[in-house]
Amino acid sequence: MRDIAIIGGGASGLVAAITAARQGARVTVFERQSRIGKKILVTGNGRCNMTNINMKREHFHTASQKDCFLPIQHKDVEMTLDFFKSLGIERLVENTKVYPASEQASSVLDVMRMEIERLDINVRVDTKVIKLRPEGTKWQVWTETQEKYTFDRVIVATGGLAAPQLGCDETGYGLLKKLGHHQVPNFPTIVHIVSPTKYCKMMKGMRFKSEVSILVEDKVCRIERGEVLFTEDGLSGPPIFLLSRIAAESFAKKQSCKIHMDFMPDHSKEDLVAMIYERIGQGNHKNIEELFVGWLNKRAIMAIIKQADVGSPLAPCENLEYEMVEALAQSMKQLIFEVHGTRGFKFAQATVGGITLDEVNLETMESLKVQGLYLTGEVLDVDGDCGGYNLQWAWSTGFVAGEAATL
């Protein structure tokens, strides 16, 4: 019977623990926080977006040339959902996102805790591991209080740097670098984008469905559609989260970065010019600002007029020249926001970077540097898009490592 240590009681660590214990191993989970699974409770805005039915390689990112999708192919979405169903979780599918039918993230953690108790897994909370050392075929694990334990295998599932208020820190990276592993630089993702553009404050609190493009050095890198939320310091919302990785990376590299927001993605610029002229014809007594009332949010109107640089919003709309109408249409199609990176890890849902995949066997999640050491979840240099992809990476790598460590 294998004695296995799991360092970290988050999503991947708990799945690895349950998987290994079901294979007959004696398992101990070390968690530095006062309870396990704290980060699971805030996923999906408290609903736990467990996975996504549209599970494709294109939704994952890494600096490595290795196929990071391999663990997910081995332990896929249906296998994950079957696992949770066996614990009592029924699925709720919204578009392609999958939630527990209870719509409570606490349900996902509760059923795992019940299974951990049933399997008699030893959980040590408020216990920080500060050192790992291989000795022959065994592993020595030291805690902050100088306690020493001996195991046959060690699984490091310490997570990334997102949400430090929930216990995420550099611990895992430090442990692994001392064992010869290398770390790809980290920055936050699935996070608010920061912009000094004055339109953000003007439209603070406003939500607007639009098509959003992100440009780095004037080259379009990605386009997303959805509801954008304007904040005092920038932009938020699902499409912004999907672009935030590029924003953070470009800022770290000191590259110019901009957001182009299309408020009318289903209309061409020519369509909008015609529509503006139609509205002028129907209400030539109105001023420029009044011309857009009933069509656009009032605070968006002011931003569009300012960028178009057509003069006072109180000027009569019948005085608009063709070039001015064209400029207004262009602003509606392409309101421009300068990007200054993102908010920090405190506000992020995931972490870019981590231990390079080049040093891990993705068939087993075992270290290629040290035998008997396994790495899972966000401690590795893989990050997924918003929508359940990061949790699927955690579940899949936890399943793979938990199973392989018992062999």
Side-chain angles (χ1 to χ4, degrees):
M1 182 184 292
R2 299 282 191 197
D3 282 305
I4 298 176
I6 314 281
I7 316 301
S12 68
L14 297 181
V15 165
I18 290 170
T19 302
R22 285 180 173 180
Q23 298 285 103
R26 281 191 296 263
V27 179
T28 300
V29 177
F30 294 92
E31 170 55 52
R32 64 186 290 267
Q33 292 291 294
S34 59
R35 60 179 299 183
I36 57 175
K38 277 190 173 184
K39 198 172 177 183
I40 293 173
L41 296 175
V42 301
T43 57
N45 289 322
R47 296 172 67 204
C48 190
N49 184 184
M50 298 165 59
T51 186
N52 198 301
I53 291 172
N54 183 31
M55 193 58 56
K56 296 179 181 178
R57 168 67 179 82
E58 66 199 55
H59 293 290
F60 295 87
H61 315 280
T62 178
S64 174
Q65 295 301 308
K66 280 190 167 183
D67 183 8
C68 68
F69 203 59
L70 197 59
I72 295 173
Q73 288 178 316
H74 287 332
K75 305 295 182 182
D76 63 12
V77 171
E78 283 306 315
M79 184 259 172
T80 300
L81 293 175
D82 287 345
F83 168 82
F84 282 106
K85 183 174 176 60
S86 75
L87 297 181
I89 297 292
E90 299 290 342
R91 73 180 75 175
L92 169 66
V93 182
E94 289 185 0
N95 296 320
T96 60
K97 296 178 181 180
V98 185
Y99 300 89
S102 66
E103 299 192 64
Q104 291 180 297
S106 57
S107 298
V108 176
L109 181 56
D110 286 343
V111 296
M112 286 200 286
R113 288 170 63 94
M114 285 186 269
E115 184 68 355
I116 284 168
E117 290 175 11
R118 185 186 75 81
L119 293 167
D120 200 26
I121 294 170
N122 182 20
V123 177
R124 295 183 57 86
V125 295
D126 294 315
T127 305
K128 182 176 180 178
V129 172
I130 60 169
K131 184 179 178 182
L132 301 172
R133 189 172 73 188
E135 290 189 1
T137 60
K138 300 289 185 180
W139 278 87
Q140 303 299 324
V141 175
W142 276 268
T143 68
E144 199 171 35
T145 55
Q146 298 305 309
E147 295 173 290
K148 186 175 84 168
Y149 302 86
T150 301
F151 295 94
D152 299 306
R153 302 280 190 270
V154 171
I155 299 174
V156 176
T158 47
L161 299 178
Q165 65 274 26
L166 298 176
C168 301
D169 65 7
E170 294 270 2
T171 297
Y173 302 133
L175 292 171
L176 292 166
K177 285 194 286 187
K178 287 177 182 176
L179 294 167
H181 280 282
H182 294 86
Q183 181 181 357
V184 175
N186 300 110
F187 46 86
T189 186
I190 312 183
V191 65
H192 298 62
I193 287 178
V194 172
S195 172
T197 306
K198 59 187 176 184
Y199 310 138
C200 293
K201 282 188 178 181
M202 286 172 59
M203 295 188 281
K204 177 184 175 182
M206 188 184 102
R207 297 176 184 271
F208 210 108
K209 290 180 180 177
S210 58
E211 184 173 274
V212 191
S213 307
I214 189 164
L215 294 81
V216 176
E217 302 291 338
D218 295 321
K219 180 182 177 182
V220 176
C221 296
R222 186 167 179 172
I223 302 172
E224 294 293 337
R225 276 199 191 197
E227 188 176 70
V228 175
L229 169 65
F230 293 85
T231 67
E232 187 163 335
D233 63 344
L235 306 166
S236 186
I240 296 299
F241 288 164
L242 289 168
L243 303 180
S244 62
R245 185 186 203 278
I246 298 169
E249 187 173 27
S250 66
F251 188 70
K253 293 179 178 178
K254 295 181 169 53
Q255 298 172 313
S256 69
C257 184
K258 293 178 181 177
I259 292 283
H260 287 180
M261 192 169 300
D262 184 348
F263 287 97
M264 296 288 167
D266 296 323
H267 296 281
S268 68
K269 179 179 166 184
E270 291 72 24
D271 289 340
L272 295 178
V273 168
M275 293 166 76
I276 291 170
Y277 271 118
E278 182 181 1
R279 293 177 74 86
I280 292 173
Q282 293 170 344
N284 59 5
H285 60 284
K286 296 179 179 179
N287 62 38
I288 298 173
E289 181 182 2
E290 291 169 341
L291 182 68
F292 291 93
V293 174
W295 191 12
L296 296 173
N297 184 291
K298 287 185 178 180
R299 283 181 285 172
I301 294 171
M302 291 306 297
I304 286 164
I305 293 172
K306 282 183 178 294
Q307 181 175 282
D309 194 21
V310 294
S312 170
L314 302 180
C317 69
E318 63 179 352
N319 290 351
L320 286 169
E321 308 241 350
Y322 178 79
E323 292 77 11
M324 294 174 163
V325 171
E326 193 176 43
L328 288 166
Q330 177 65 21
S331 286
M332 292 169 75
K333 291 293 293 177
Q334 194 180 92
L335 196 64
I336 300 171
F337 297 83
E338 187 180 348
V339 172
H340 284 183
T342 68
R343 288 186 182 179
F345 282 111
K346 180 180 178 181
F347 302 95
Q349 296 180 34
T351 305
V352 174
I355 300 302
T356 177
L357 293 188
D358 297 339
E359 299 166 353
V360 179
N361 178 354
L362 295 179
E363 297 277 356
T364 62
M365 306 313 298
E366 186 173 15
S367 166
L368 296 175
K369 292 284 186 179
V370 198
Q371 193 171 12
L373 175 68
Y374 299 79
L375 287 68
T376 70
E378 207 174 350
V379 76
L380 291 161
D381 173 34
V382 174
D383 60 283
D385 288 339
C386 181
Y389 299 102
N390 287 293
L391 268 180
Q392 185 59 57
W393 169 255
W395 309 135
S396 293
T397 55
F399 288 134
V400 172
E403 193 172 271
T406 63
L407 301 178

